[in-house]
Structure formats: C-alpha cells, structure tokens
Amino acid sequence: MIRGLLLGIILMLYCVCPSFQQDTTFVYNGFDQGDHRLHLDGSAIILPKKHVLQLTNATATQIGHAFFQEPVDFNSSEPVSFSTHFVCALLPVGETSGHGMAFFVSHSTDFKGAEPSRFFGLFNANGSASTRVLAVELDIAKAPDVGDISDNHVGIDVNSAKSVISANASYFSDKKGRKIDMKLLSGDPIQVWVDYEGTTLNVSLAPLRNKKPSQPLLSSTSINLTEIVQGRRMFVGFSGATGSTMTYQYILGWSFSKTMASLQKIDVSKLPKVPHPHNKIKSTSLVLDALLGLISLLVLGLLTGAAYMYRKNLYAEVREEWEKEYGPFRYSYKSLYKATKGFSRNEFLGRGGFGEVYKGTLELREVAVKKVSHDGEEGMKQFVAEIVCMRRLKHRSLVPLLGDCRRQHELLLVSEYMPNGSLDHYLFNHDRSTLPWWRRFAILNDIASALSYLHTEAEQVVIHRDIKAANVMLDAEFNGRLGDFVGTVGYMAPEITTMGPSTGTDVYAFGVFLLEVTCGRRPVEPGLSAAKRFLIKWVCDCWKRSSLIDAIDPRLAEFSSKEVERVLKVGLLCANLAPSARPSMEQVVQYLNGNLALPEFWPYSPGIGVIIPPPQLMLPSLSLSSYSSNNSMFMTHSIVYGSGR
Ligand SMILES: *[C@@H]1O[C@H](CO)[C@@H](O)[C@H](O)[C@H]1NC(C)=O
Ligand SMILES: *[C@@H]1O[C@H](CO)[C@@H](O)[C@H](O)[C@H]1NC(C)=O
Ligand SMILES: *[C@@H]1O[C@H](CO)[C@@H](O)[C@H](O)[C@H]1NC(C)=O
Ligand SMILES: *[C@@H]1O[C@H](CO)[C@@H](O)[C@H](O)[C@H]1NC(C)=O
Ligand SMILES: *[C@@H]1O[C@H](CO)[C@@H](O)[C@H](O)[C@H]1NC(C)=O
Ligand SMILES: *[C@@H]1O[C@H](CO)[C@@H](O)[C@H](O)[C@H]1NC(C)=O
C-alpha cells in the first residue's frame, strides 16, 4: 500500500513537473533559503535572512557550486544561445586576496576531480575534470602556470583554467567614451553580462548602477557551445573556490534566458546588501566586550587590586610614539592570547629562529603566532623597522606577515598559517612521503621568483640571508613560500664572514638550495664518506664522471633528466666560489624556466664545485645590526610560520 502511495506521489509529481522542453528563463533579485530550483554543493549556501548566495566562506581550500537545478535544453531545430546578467561581489577575508569565481555552463553537475584555488572548483591541472565546461572567470589571483595576466582579470575558459581570452577588469563607459578600470576585489557589487549567440561569446562588466556597456570587455568569436559541452543539454551556475587564501564570493542577483530578447531585468532596488562579515564580527564582539566590561564592573566591582593587577599584566602591551607610523598592523595582545587559547601547549607548532610558534584562529582564519623575546630599545626599533619592511613585501611566494604586537620583553608576529610545514621535512625526513620532481621543480621556481623579487623589485633591495629548505614553507597547495632565519653554516657563501651579506651571498645559498632539493640531502653530511660529505663537491664530481644525473635523490622515480641536469648546473653556477661569477637571481629565474640558455661552463671551470669547508659546523649567530647599510635591508628575523604536525 505504501508502495502504491509512493507511486501515486511520483506520478503526481510527474504530472506537475512535466519534463518537456521549456524556455528556461528566470530572474533572482536576491535568494531565498530552501529554493528548490537551485542546487548548492560544497561550501555554497544561501545566507539566512541576508538573501545572498555565498559560494565560499573563510575556510581554506573549499569549493562551492550553485546551479540551476533544471538543465537548459535546446531541441535540434533551435539555435544554441543564452544571455545572462548577474550581480556579484568579492570580499577579501582578512588582508590578503584569495581566489576568484566563475559563471559556468557545463555538461553535467558532477565536478569530481575539480580542484580549488586557481582552478575555481571547475578544472584541474590537466584541464577539465569529469565534466566539460565553458566558464567566465573573475580572477583575483595571478597564477602564472595557467597563464593569468594579472591579479584582477576576466577570462573565458574552455575546459581549462588557461583562458582562451582574458582582459584586466574594466568597463566601457558610454558617457566618457573610454574604458574605466575596475577592481574585482573591492567588495562592491559588480554587474556581469554574458551573451552567447552563433559562435560569439561576449562578456561585459559594470559597477552596480551603470547600464550595460555598448562594447563588451571580452568577445570571442570561435566558441562552439554544443561542441564544448558535448550536447544540446547543459547546466548553468556559479563556482567559487578558496586556496590557502580566501575570499567571500557573493551572488546578489541573477537573470538567465535562452535569448537576449527574453532576458528579464534585475531589479537593483530589490537586491540584498553585500554582507561584511568582518565588520559584523568586530562590532558584535565590541558590543559583547563592552557588555561584559559593564557586567564585570557592576557585579565584580569587589575585585581586589591584586586580581586587577594580574589581569593588567596578563594583557599588558607596549605602544610608543615611534611605532605609530607603522600603522594598523597591530594586533592586541588579548586577541592573540585568545586566538592561541592562551598560548596553549596544544597549539604549539615548534620552535624556530628566535622564538616559539603557535597556531591560532584569528577572525576565522588560521594563523601562526610567533613569540620572540627581546631586550634593548635599539634592537627593538631595528626589529620593528624590519617588520615594516617585510610588511611592504608582497609576493605570492613569500609567507605574508599579517601583523604584530609588542609587549615589555616580547614581540609577537602573526603570519599566515602554512598547513604543510617546511620543505626540509619532506626532503630529509625519510619516514615522510617525499615530493615528486614536478612539485620540487615548481617550488624551486617559486623561490627563485621570490628571491628575484626581493633583490630587484621590492622598494629596497632586500637580502634574505638565509635561503634553505627549512625556511621554505609549503602552503595548502604545496606552493613554496619563503620564510626566513639567520644564517646557517653550509649555505653561507665563504666571503660572508669577511665581506658581509650581499645579493651574491643569497645567490650562493640559493644554488646550494637547488642542489639539496634535487639531491634530497643536506649540503654537509658529516656522517658520509669524504667523497660525498660536501654536496657541491660531490655533484661536481658526478659531472666530472659524466654522470651528473647520479646525484639525484634516489627516491625520485619520474623526472625529466634534462630538467634535473639544468637545475644541478644552475646550482653549481650559483655556488661558484667567486661572487662575480655568479648569475643574478633574475638570470637564475630565466635559466630555470628555460627562457635563457646556460652559459658555457665545465666542471673544471674556475670556482665551480670548489668549497672552503667551514672551520666548525656551527658559527655563533650573527648580530642583528652589524650588516645594516644605507640602501639595503636584511631580513634578520624570521617571518613567523606554521609547521606541519
Ligand atoms: C564553511 O563551509 C564549510 C562547508 O559548508 C563548513 O564546514 C565550515 O565550517 C564553514 N566555515 C566557516 C568559517 O563558516
Ligand atoms: C523547438 O523549440 C522551439 C522553441 O522552444 C519550438 O518553437 C519548436 O517548435 C521546437 N521544435 C521541435 C522540433 O520540437
Ligand atoms: C592528470 O593526468 C594524469 C595522467 O593521466 C593523472 O595521473 C593525474 O592524476 C591527473 N591529475 C589530476 C589533478 O587530475
Ligand atoms: C593588466 O594589469 C597588469 C597589472 O596592473 C599589467 O601589468 C598588465 O600589463 C595589464 N595587462 C593588460 C593586457 O592590460
Ligand atoms: C558581441 O559584441 C559585438 C561587438 O560589440 C556585437 O557586434 C555582437 O552583436 C555581440 N554579440 C552578442 C551575442 O552579444
Ligand atoms: C559546432 O560543433 C558541432 C559539433 O562538432 C557541429 O555539428 C556544428 O556545426 C558546429 N557549429 C558551428 C556553428 O560551427
């Protein structure tokens, strides 16, 4: 009987929702929870009461899809075309930018194998995942491996995150008769129009109150949608993803139709407001703090002076006049104390450089908090000046410093949490699964470009002074990010003790780093036979025997011999004993990516493979200010980092 009832219900549904082809046309002026016409997966939700569709939240490496449940069908006599207009907003989580979002037309709703971050939850490194996709990406991260032109662009993607055509975000203003730049990650609502007819796909942008521009931003005339999605039935929707950095991706309104003529207007006055979760959290916690303060004043007015002093000491901070210019990167000690659950042992990540590192959760994001002890005013000023310098450095392969806090004898540095710890664990810790060659090669390229940035593109020449695997952190996607330390013997160029650090000493250390990553061993292994003890010499000896490739980490199975040999040779070139014979980091970047041929040199060339063994294995650490000069800044303190547990 129950069966009969079910059958009846199914039949009834069948009659209510006939599956014959219909003209898929809809308009959303805001979204309602429990809308059954939309299918959401992953991190995508409709925010309760806010009527906003949110694709991703402040969690790393998330994917969220939202698509119209019903497929768009075209019968055989109907031309395949569509027009859509939507309003979206991208809002940074914290201070670093994350990844963008995309409008898509897909063959199916199964996105298995799609990856987050620069792949938008639609593609992966091989192209498209389990389904075929046409997408319009609004991208706010520049990923060179997929050919991104900038960190603020719009692109048309056909079955791959590599856009077939892209342009920096801008719109054509009919009033002014010219293009006006737009910032995708402004948090302001952005209108997007996508029109497809014949084989032409047009994409236009504009700020909220503007009319649709008369000229599209992107126009591709070679798009065959039936071929791309392999059929005349397709799904339409939005996809967003986060990587190690996050963005809130919101859709406020959406109109779709098969033809431009039947596209319904979005009513801008009915659109929901862009949520600002950060302000919200801050203001509610402020209100909460104030309320708690009032209650504790009223109820706990009997607190003794001693208890008061205890509390005061617990959260006491030092702020001084000269610090003010360093601006808003200050965190309160209290917030860091809470973020790390009172610097709990459970949150302890490790010890490095000058202090202890703790994991914490601050404003919904994971951070690493490093406690550094200090004494002396001068050292402190120097230190803060360096933090400011580091704060200005922006490169995707540097571990970003988010802020700091200063107390009586203590400095706290807050940086992004690097979930995969430091590279040395994967190279030297034989219990751990190792990294394949392609990943190592990508990391080497990451670090080379970061170092080239420090040497040539930063406001001041910045000398890192301590390049080594232990200072290379791996983010959630195993991208290499340079952190920092004070010099370690074995990576230090011989002249450093007499002439001080320079860009040349960094190049030397980078050369040694290239060798250690390729060979999977430390530069000096006292336990090995004399022939193998010093990495540089050993690699050079392999080359002398015409078997350079023998130097490779024996755990590596698949690799390109050409690439490995090139890397080893670049390593030897950088580690030339004579500083003047070393290449610049800009050249190194080009040698590595094959854009520049290596100079002619042999294992017997002067300075190649020559080492001056250090007199002892550990030198005392170098003092902070002894290498200051007028035009360069040394990163003498390590940027805080997280490490895998
Ligand atoms: C983000 O969404 C995911 C999936 O719905 C959820 O597990 C996670 O708790 C959310 N994170 C935040 C910070 O809201
Ligand atoms: C195809 O669809 C169009 C528009 O919906 C309709 O006018 C036409 O009759 C359909 N043709 C066939 C063969 O079903
Ligand atoms: C890419 O393709 C290769 C070979 O077919 C496969 O081994 C690998 O898992 C694929 N990668 C992804 C991310 O799908
Ligand atoms: C896009 O913007 C970036 C950064 O602002 C700039 O370097 C680049 O030249 C621009 N590209 C085009 C095609 O305008
Ligand atoms: C695309 O833009 C071009 C140039 O403005 C225009 O001629 C064409 O009609 C547009 N096509 C579509 C489908 O919107
Ligand atoms: C698009 O591709 C399909 C399938 O390959 C083909 O039949 C059709 O003629 C193409 N359409 C155009 C306009 O080129």
Side-chain angles (χ1 to χ4, degrees):
M1 174 170 147
I2 290 178
R3 253 181 153 190
L5 207 70
L6 273 177
L7 199 70
I9 291 173
I10 288 168
L11 273 175
M12 230 169 75
L13 283 176
Y14 196 76
C15 296
V16 173
C17 311
S19 68
F20 56 76
Q21 287 164 3
Q22 38 175 242
D23 198 10
T24 316
T25 296
F26 56 84
V27 61
Y28 284 98
N29 297 302
F31 299 85
D32 287 312
Q33 262 188 312
D35 184 322
H36 297 298
R37 292 188 303 164
L38 287 177
H39 179 91
L40 308 183
D41 69 25
S43 57
I45 54 167
I46 290 167
L47 293 176
K49 297 193 193 131
K50 296 207 168 70
H51 306 288
V52 171
L53 170 57
Q54 175 180 284
L55 296 173
T56 56
N57 59 24
T59 306
T61 51
Q62 290 265 318
I63 295 177
H65 298 115
F67 47 85
F68 200 68
Q69 185 98 268
E70 205 178 287
V72 185
D73 274 313
F74 295 91
N75 68 27
S76 54
S77 60
E78 218 177 349
V80 174
S81 66
F82 72 85
S83 267
T84 191
H85 176 201
F86 60 91
V87 180
C88 63
L90 300 174
L91 200 71
V93 176
E95 292 193 32
T96 52
S97 60
H99 296 273
M101 52 158 280
F103 166 78
F104 68 79
V105 182
S106 67
H107 170 75
S108 83
T109 57
D110 172 16
F111 294 92
K112 211 163 44 247
E115 294 196 359
S117 70
R118 61 193 183 284
F119 300 112
F120 303 101
L122 293 174
F123 310 109
N124 60 35
N126 291 345
S128 68
S130 49
T131 187
R132 317 256 310 160
V133 186
L134 166 78
V136 173
E137 60 168 63
L138 306 180
D139 198 350
I140 51 167
K142 183 174 174 179
D145 62 332
V146 292
D148 285 349
I149 55 164
S150 72
D151 60 0
N152 184 47
H153 65 271
V154 181
I156 297 176
D157 301 344
V158 175
N159 290 320
S160 161
K162 276 192 184 125
S163 303
V164 293
I165 178 174
S166 63
N168 284 339
S170 72
Y171 69 101
F172 185 82
S173 162
D174 292 309
K175 257 191 212 150
K176 298 194 171 127
R178 63 178 170 88
K179 268 198 201 168
I180 297 179
D181 290 339
M182 283 183 82
K183 189 104 198 87
L184 295 175
L185 192 60
S186 61
D188 295 331
I190 298 169
Q191 300 187 83
V192 183
W193 292 266
V194 184
D195 300 302
Y196 175 73
E197 201 184 298
T199 55
T200 304
L201 185 78
N202 288 351
V203 180
S204 308
L205 301 190
L208 186 58
R209 308 246 161 228
N210 288 46
K211 283 217 306 255
K212 183 178 179 181
S214 63
Q215 293 181 21
L217 171 63
L218 292 176
S219 183
S220 174
T221 53
S222 53
I223 303 288
N224 184 335
L225 193 56
T226 45
E227 193 172 285
I228 293 168
V229 303
Q230 294 184 326
R232 303 177 76 84
R233 154 178 281 224
M234 48 202 78
F235 292 87
V236 293
F238 301 94
S239 181
T242 59
S244 59
T245 54
M246 287 86 70
T247 318
Y248 293 109
Q249 300 157 343
Y250 299 122
I251 312 289
L252 310 178
W254 182 23
S255 174
F256 181 93
S257 177
K258 281 181 171 178
T259 62
M260 211 186 292
S262 55
L263 188 70
Q264 290 170 269
K265 268 205 164 60
I266 289 181
D267 185 344
V268 172
S269 65
K270 285 193 191 148
L271 291 183
K273 293 221 157 40
V274 180
H276 286 264
H278 275 76
N279 297 348
K280 191 79 188 174
I281 285 158
K282 266 187 198 146
S283 63
T284 51
S285 77
L286 265 181
V287 168
L288 217 78
D289 277 358
L291 217 73
L292 280 178
L294 208 68
I295 291 170
S296 62
L297 259 180
L298 289 174
V299 181
L300 307 176
L302 298 170
L303 261 182
T304 62
Y308 170 75
M309 285 309 288
Y310 169 78
R311 261 191 83 77
K312 201 176 153 184
N313 278 336
L314 184 62
Y315 296 135
E317 292 171 34
V318 180
R319 282 169 199 260
E320 277 172 48
E321 207 48 38
W322 54 265
E323 280 180 76
K324 281 200 180 137
E325 62 187 285
Y326 299 134
F329 310 121
R330 179 91 190 203
Y331 285 103
S332 74
Y333 182 71
K334 196 171 172 178
S335 68
L336 298 184
Y337 189 87
K338 284 185 176 161
T340 55
K341 308 206 176 89
F343 298 98
S344 143
R345 282 287 119 186
N346 292 336
E347 306 298 305
F348 183 70
L349 290 174
R351 191 181 304 276
F354 287 81
E356 297 181 333
V357 187
Y358 295 84
K359 188 177 167 187
T361 307
L362 205 57
E363 288 162 4
L364 297 180
R365 85 198 283 196
E366 290 187 314
V367 295
V369 180
K370 183 174 201 171
K371 282 175 100 169
V372 182
S373 316
H374 73 82
D375 30 47
E377 185 71 0
E378 271 316 300
M380 193 61 216
K381 278 189 190 176
Q382 166 87 9
F383 199 176
V384 173
E386 285 169 10
I387 290 169
V388 172
C389 167
M390 275 149 57
R391 195 62 179 70
R392 288 206 195 105
L393 300 175
K394 283 219 159 66
H395 189 278
R396 70 189 161 80
S397 301
L398 291 176
V399 177
L401 182 69
L402 303 174
D404 67 277
C405 171
R406 190 187 160 206
R407 305 185 80 209
Q408 192 90 59
H409 296 290
E410 201 172 48
L411 185 91
L412 296 110
L413 298 174
V414 183
S415 76
E416 230 170 70
Y417 174 68
M418 295 286 130
N420 285 314
S422 59
L423 175 60
D424 59 333
H425 290 296
Y426 295 88
L427 294 179
F428 312 135
N429 184 344
H430 287 247
D431 302 337
R432 233 174 170 166
S433 65
T434 191
L435 297 174
W437 171 250
W438 64 268
R439 199 148 245 170
R440 294 191 196 193
F441 188 60
I443 293 168
L444 294 176
N445 280 290
D446 289 342
I447 302 307
S449 92
L451 209 49
S452 168
Y453 165 83
L454 292 179
H455 287 180
T456 57
E457 289 164 56
E459 281 171 41
Q460 277 170 303
V461 174
V462 176
I463 297 169
H464 182 277
R465 242 187 58 173
D466 200 14
I467 313 295
K468 59 177 176 181
N471 287 344
V472 169
M473 309 305 298
L474 300 174
D475 68 17
E477 294 132 44
F478 282 94
N479 296 310
R481 304 275 203 109
L482 191 55
D484 156 39
F485 259 75
V486 172
T488 312
V489 173
Y491 301 83
M492 287 199 303
E495 78 276 9
I496 205 165
T497 47
T498 50
M499 295 163 73
S502 64
T503 51
T505 57
D506 268 359
V507 172
Y508 181 95
F510 183 74
V512 180
F513 171 68
L514 286 177
L515 301 184
E516 70 172 339
V517 174
T518 311
C519 307
R521 53 157 284 193
R522 295 178 201 277
V524 183
E525 299 264 19
L528 289 179
S529 64
K532 287 191 164 182
R533 188 169 303 154
F534 298 104
L535 179 58
I536 298 177
K537 185 167 173 297
W538 179 61
V539 171
C540 193
D541 288 345
C542 288
W543 192 9
K544 285 176 183 167
R545 293 195 306 267
S546 304
S547 56
L548 185 52
I549 206 83
D550 287 354
I552 197 173
D553 186 342
R555 290 175 296 168
L556 289 176
E558 277 177 57
F559 53 86
S560 136
S561 310
K562 252 179 142 174
E563 237 166 50
V564 170
E565 289 195 356
R566 189 162 77 225
V567 170
L568 290 172
K569 284 181 185 173
V570 175
L572 290 175
L573 200 60
C574 293
N576 193 308
L577 192 63
S580 60
R582 295 172 203 154
S584 70
M585 278 314 297
E586 274 176 299
Q587 288 169 319
V588 171
V589 168
Q590 290 186 296
Y591 291 150
L592 287 180
N593 63 25
N595 285 345
L596 193 64
L598 283 175
E600 293 260 308
F601 73 109
W602 310 106
Y604 298 98
S605 299
I608 295 291
V610 183
I611 50 145
I612 300 177
Q616 70 241 45
L617 280 176
M618 290 306 295
L619 281 186
S621 59
L622 307 160
S623 88
L624 298 183
S625 49
S626 56
Y627 296 122
S628 305
S629 72
N630 292 338
N631 56 0
S632 60
M633 179 74 83
F634 306 118
M635 299 169 69
T636 46
H637 290 265
S638 79
I639 299 176
V640 199
Y641 63 93
S643 65
R645 271 189 289 182

